[in-house]
Amino acid sequence: YVQGKWEAYPYQTGILDCMGNDDIREVTLLKSARVGYTKMILAAIGYYAEHKRRNQAIWQPVDDDADEFVKTELDPMIRDVPAMQRIFPWYNSRSKHNTLRQKTFLTSMLHIRGGRSAKNYRRLSLDVAILDELDGFEPDVESEGSPDGLASKRLEGATFPKLICGSTPRIEETSLIAHRARYSDRIFRYHIA
């Protein structure tokens, strides 16, 4: 935890390449704790806002997690990264474009939501949907479906839809992230000798 420019570790580069590749529609990251997933998510959000100009949403397990993500991760990135400053002129101002639930960039929007309420998945038309710590979500959101299923519905109609889910698994039999990984088309493993 030091200030300064973030540099991706070699294993993160491959994951980020998958996140940014338009030919890959879904990325499921079954991970251990403390591998820099939050930093990778931030890099992807910045990339999609600055380079691809795509509407995005990120869901955290609960509303308090979403608020904390904005305060401790997203706002500092917008404040400190020059590319973000160019496309988000409302930083440090009271504006409808700069709230805990929504960031309006010059060419796209980012919605930030908690994942426990079905209403937090409605009325969003997205190109990119991100679920952070998927195993922290309820498996069925208010009897309307799984959180990844609800998020992927928001991508219908997108030219290059992207669903990114990551989590440290909890209990194998009930793990949402393990289920997604089991049914993935391809699995890539990073091996450290």
Side-chain angles (χ1 to χ4, degrees):
Y1 299 109
V2 294
Q3 285 187 320
K5 182 179 176 185
W6 175 69
E7 304 234 359
Y9 290 114
Y11 71 89
Q12 293 172 325
T13 303
I15 296 166
L16 288 165
D17 287 345
C18 291
M19 288 179 178
N21 186 324
D22 287 340
D23 292 330
I24 299 172
R25 291 180 165 231
E26 296 184 6
V27 175
T28 299
L29 183 58
L30 178 74
K31 64 181 192 64
S32 64
R34 314 303 305 159
V35 296
Y37 179 59
T38 300
K39 295 300 180 211
M40 289 185 275
I41 287 173
L42 287 169
I45 287 170
Y47 174 73
Y48 278 116
E50 206 270 335
H51 292 289
K52 302 257 182 168
R53 301 173 178 179
R54 297 198 178 146
N55 292 323
Q56 310 172 65
I58 181 167
W59 287 271
Q60 298 286 338
V62 296
D63 288 341
D64 286 346
D65 292 344
D67 292 350
E68 186 177 334
F69 173 79
V70 171
K71 293 173 187 174
T72 64
E73 303 290 346
L74 185 61
D75 279 349
M77 179 187 74
I78 292 170
R79 179 193 68 213
D80 296 339
V81 176
M84 293 291 94
Q85 295 164 4
R86 287 191 296 274
I87 63 168
F88 192 77
W90 302 280
Y91 182 78
N92 226 10
S93 68
R94 297 188 73 121
S95 169
K96 65 181 181 178
H97 303 296
N98 183 20
T99 69
L100 285 174
R101 298 280 182 241
Q102 181 174 298
K103 303 291 182 188
T104 305
F105 299 103
L106 291 177
T107 56
S108 64
M109 295 179 77
L110 171 65
H111 303 274
I112 307 102
R113 302 283 192 268
R116 289 249 167 104
S117 173
K119 72 180 172 94
N120 284 345
Y121 296 88
R122 295 188 190 119
R123 295 181 33 242
L124 299 173
S125 294
L126 304 172
D127 302 297
V128 181
I130 303 169
L131 292 113
D132 188 10
E133 288 304 332
L134 184 58
D135 274 14
F137 288 71
E138 295 295 326
D140 189 6
V141 181
E142 297 183 331
S143 300
E144 292 195 20
S146 66
D148 52 331
L150 294 174
S152 67
K153 287 297 249 180
R154 309 320 322 154
L155 301 171
E156 289 180 359
T159 304
F160 298 105
K162 178 71 74 175
L163 176 65
I164 300 170
C165 300
S167 187
T168 304
R170 290 186 178 176
I171 300 167
E172 178 71 24
E173 295 77 25
T174 59
S175 171
L176 294 170
I177 199 71
H179 176 78
R180 287 190 61 80
R182 245 187 323 274
Y183 294 100
S184 295
D185 292 336
R186 303 280 186 275
I187 296 178
F188 299 93
R189 298 183 193 280
Y190 188 77
H191 176 72
I192 300 174

